Amino acid sequence: MWSANGSHCERTGGNGAAVSDVRVREQVLRLLEQVGSGLAPIVQAGDPVLRAVALPYDGELVPEELDALLALMFRTMAAAPGVGLAAPQIGLGVALAVVQDPGVGLPELEAVRERTPLAPRVLVNPRYSPVDGRTVGFYEGCLSVEGYAAVVARHHGVNLVGWDERGRPFDEVLTGWPARIVQHETDHLGGTLYLDKAEIRSLAASAGWGGHWALEPVPRTAAAELGFPLP
Ligand code: NI
């Protein structure tokens, strides 16, 4: 009921060895034991796990183990703080992600970006497709690319399909910021970082101009001053 394609989940790792369902479970249990009630270390760009295609989750964990992993992911995301976290970001090459966005409390910015609150939820083997040709460009960042933000043109609306943590399928349309978040997290599961899709001239250090540009509802001044196109 979990698998994206119904096929047996196996791939070949960098050393040529098969990375099997058993290996995923072992990795998860080892991480849970190491971390206890603490936070998982968030891996940074350059770690190959962020560039691998994650294995579809196919029920490798018993419900208690899955719940413990998801609790760890939510805890780690909240502490960062972030609005999404994909399993590869804590070193696990399996297609699970968590998302939650309470908003930023800046009404104009939230209105322009359609940053509506996103209730906590789990994405298992998610996939998305655009609902139309409209794209929107805003600054975003990633917990695995610490200290930077860049503008990414993303689909304004996507059809998201996948499963929740109990194996119930979903098939729905998301728009605005929630659509951006699920695109970013789903991309992680395919080994794609937001920088791959970013307007690279928009790249800004969060400690400097990045913080400034992040508050511009639509990055028009940033586009003009740094020299990158907006959709
Ligand atoms: Ni990210």
Side-chain angles (χ1 to χ4, degrees), residues 84-86 89 140-145 184-185 188 192-194:
L85 185 75
Q89 295 184 271
E140 64 179 69
C142 177
L143 298 176
S144 293
V145 188
H184 179 118
E185 299 312 324
H188 268 301
T192 295
L193 295 176
Y194 83 101

Side-chain angles (χ1 to χ4, degrees), residues 55-72:
L55 280 170
Y57 180 72
D58 198 16
E60 289 84 355
L61 305 173
V62 302
E64 294 74 20
E65 294 165 351
L66 180 60
D67 287 347
L69 172 61
L70 295 172
L72 171 62

